[in-house]
Every structure is written in structure tokens, then in C-alpha cells.
């Protein structure tokens, strides 16, 4: 069976393809692009890692995907500086009953995200912020169903977050849950010396691949779920309820 998966021959071509994809995808609204630069500057000054943001092509994908599925209600667990939230808000704005719920821990990044969304013209009732532990926020969230649920917080919280989503029926019948960083630098598939990221396996960031692997296996084996795993960005596990 043919199983070749190497799309591009070297990092230079990979980077060129990435830039080509951005240039040939529908551009992000100016307010989203401008916020990215502000977020990078803010993160560095605050001693935080701007790599915690989704990249521009992923933001383009998210905005397009939300429009594609006709999403009106989005739940985001892990908002950071609000870059991804701004993309979701741009996708659902203007629709009757549109709602975006953002969950993150309190901190300067959350205040930055709130200010950004407000400056862009997004406020209640469209935007709601729940501050605190992500899973606890899901547990306390008033009953509702969401068309898209985006998980991008601490990877140790992915499993309990999904269990809460299922037990509380938070995902609409034809809704989609997207778990970001599902491949965790490829470590879920290969954590041997062949993966250069395995050198730093003792770091908290890289050790989280075990939580991602546990989550991926849980989704794969769950009788109520079906999913596709995409080797895009740092891996997307796209999940829905079986129809």
C-alpha cells in the first residue's frame, strides 16, 4: 500500500508553501491582522510566549470553517490574547442569536483580550468571558448548545473538558469540537530520538503530549463520537457526535 506522507522536501519549501497558502486564502479582516501584531508585542513585554496563539493560516481556516458550517454559537476554551476569539467573532457577527463564550484564567492576557474585542466592537451579548479553570467554567456554564467548541488550553484539561461537554450536552447535534495541538509537535506519534523535540521531553510543554495522546485515544474509542485527525498546524482533532 502506498503510504508516502512527505509533502515537501525540506523546511524551505514547507515555509514557502505555508506563505503561499496564506496569500491564496481569503485574507483575514484588517482588525484581526492588526491584533496579531499587537498580541505578539504584548506577549513579549509580558514575558509570555506568542507561540500560544494560532498562526495566521489557522485563523483563516477557523474563520472560513465557522462560516462553512453556519456556526452561530462558539465556545472557546483557552483564549489567551483573543486572536482566535476575534476570528470566531468576525465569522459569526451579524447572525441572529450569535454568541461567543471565551474561557480562560484571569490575568493580563485576558484583560488584553477583553479590551481588544471591545475595541473591535464586540461586547455583550455577543461576547461572554468566563474566567477561571476551563473545566470548572464548562461545568458552571448555563445550559446551551454550541455549533463549534474549540479546545486550546492546558492539554491536561482536554479529557475532562470533553467529558463535561458530553455529560452536559453542550455540543449541538451537528456541531463540531476542534482540539488544537492534537499532534503536539509529532510527539504523540514518535517520541524517540528521531523526533528532535524529544530532546526536551522533560519540559512541561512537551510532556503534555501524553495528555494529547490520551485524549486522541479516548475520542477514537468513544461510542458516541466520530472524528478525523489532520496533520495541519500542530494537529487538529475534529470531532462530532455520531449521526
Amino acid at each position: 500500500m502506498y503510504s508516502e506522507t512527505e509533502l515537501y522536501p525540506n523546511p524551505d519549501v514547507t515555509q514557502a508553501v505555508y506563505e503561499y497558502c496564506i496569500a491564496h486564502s481569503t485574507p483575514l479582516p484588517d482588525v484581526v491582522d492588526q491584533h496579531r501584531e499587537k498580541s505578539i508585542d504584548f506577549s513579549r513585554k509580558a514575558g509570555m510566549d506568542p507561540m500560544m496563539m494560532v498562526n495566521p493560516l489557522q485563523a483563516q481556516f477557523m474563520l472560513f470553517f465557522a462560516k462553512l458550517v453556519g456556526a452561530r454559537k462558539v465556545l472557546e476554551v483557552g483564549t489567551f490574547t483573543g486572536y482566535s476569539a476575534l476570528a470566531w467573532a468576525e465569522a459569526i457577527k451579524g447572525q441572529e442569536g450569535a454568541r461567543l463564550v471565551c474561557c480562560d484564567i484571569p490575568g493580563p492576557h485576558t484583560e488584553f483580550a477583553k479590551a481588544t474585542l471591545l475595541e473591535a466592537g464586540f461586547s455583550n451579548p455577543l461576547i461572554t468571558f468566563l474566567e477561571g479553570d476551563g473545566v470548572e467554567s464548562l461545568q458552571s456554564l448555563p445550559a446551551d448548545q454550541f455549533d463549534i467548541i474549540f479546545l486550546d488550553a492546558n492539554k491536561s484539561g482536554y479529557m475532562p473538558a470533553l467529558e463535561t461537554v458530553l455529560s452536559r450536552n453542550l455540543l449541538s447535534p451537528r456541531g463540531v469540537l476542534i482540539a488544537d495541538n492534537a499532534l503536539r509537535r509529532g510527539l504523540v506519534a514518535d517520541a524517540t530520538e528521531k523526533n528532535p523535540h524529544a530532546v526536551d521531553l522533560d519540559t512541561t510543554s512537551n510532556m503534555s503530549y501524553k495528555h494529547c495522546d490520551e485524549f486522541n485515544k479516548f475520542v477514537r474509542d468513544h461510542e458516541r463520537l466520530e472524528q478525523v485527525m489532520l496533520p495541519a498546524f500542530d494537529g487538529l482533532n475534529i470531532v462530532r457526535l455520531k449521526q
Side-chain angles (χ1 to χ4, degrees):
M1 179 178 71
Y2 181 77
S3 60
E4 179 61 59
T5 57
E6 184 178 356
L7 297 178
Y8 316 114
N10 57 53
D12 290 333
V13 177
T14 298
Q15 181 64 27
V17 168
Y18 168 70
E19 293 173 1
Y20 183 91
C21 288
I22 291 176
H24 291 78
S25 298
T26 300
L28 290 166
D30 288 343
V31 67
V32 182
D33 262 342
Q34 292 164 6
H35 176 57
R36 180 172 185 82
E37 295 307 314
K38 293 177 183 177
S39 285
I40 292 172
D41 183 59
F42 164 82
S43 300
R44 288 173 175 163
K45 289 179 179 177
M48 308 177 87
D49 187 357
M51 291 293 289
M52 291 172 65
M53 292 190 296
V54 301
N55 67 42
L57 182 59
Q58 187 170 351
Q60 287 173 297
F61 165 77
M62 290 161 58
L63 199 157
F64 181 87
F65 183 81
K67 289 184 175 181
L68 179 68
V69 302
R72 291 185 303 111
K73 295 183 180 181
V74 178
L75 171 61
E76 179 178 79
V77 184
T79 294
F80 192 42
T81 60
Y83 180 59
S84 54
L86 197 52
W88 295 129
E90 284 287 335
I92 66 175
K93 69 180 184 181
Q95 297 190 67
E96 184 178 354
R99 185 183 184 205
L100 170 62
V101 177
C102 300
C103 305
D104 211 322
I105 58 174
H109 61 289
T110 304
E111 296 305 314
F112 182 83
K114 288 180 184 178
T116 294
L117 287 159
L118 189 61
E119 184 180 349
F122 299 115
S123 58
N124 281 325
L126 177 63
I127 307 289
T128 302
F129 270 86
L130 298 179
E131 296 185 53
D133 176 79
V135 176
E136 291 179 3
S137 293
L138 293 181
Q139 293 169 344
S140 65
L141 183 68
D144 203 350
Q145 290 191 320
F146 295 87
D147 305 305
I148 294 177
I149 298 176
F150 184 55
L151 300 183
D152 192 22
N154 288 336
K155 311 314 165 190
S156 60
Y158 276 24
M159 277 275 289
L162 177 58
E163 290 172 330
T164 302
V165 165
L166 294 175
S167 66
R168 298 204 59 216
N169 199 29
L170 295 176
L171 187 63
S172 65
R174 294 192 176 278
V176 178
L177 181 145
I178 303 173
D180 199 14
N181 307 115
L183 294 177
R184 208 56 179 165
R185 300 170 177 166
L187 291 167
V188 296
D190 188 343
T192 70
E193 67 279 358
K194 289 185 289 185
N195 186 335
H197 294 295
V199 174
D200 300 318
L201 272 185
D202 58 339
T203 64
T204 302
S205 175
N206 277 353
M207 280 301 292
S208 66
Y209 84 91
K210 293 185 177 180
H211 297 298
C212 293
D213 183 49
E214 179 185 19
F215 174 85
N216 295 336
K217 288 180 170 59
F218 177 82
V219 171
R220 178 196 63 191
D221 298 334
H222 201 288
E223 61 182 10
R224 293 180 56 195
L225 303 174
E226 56 187 12
Q227 68 289 325
V228 63
M229 177 82 71
L230 296 180
F233 316 115
D234 192 25
L236 299 179
N237 197 341
I238 303 177
V239 186
R240 72 171 193 163
L241 300 169
K242 284 183 178 177
Q243 306 298 305

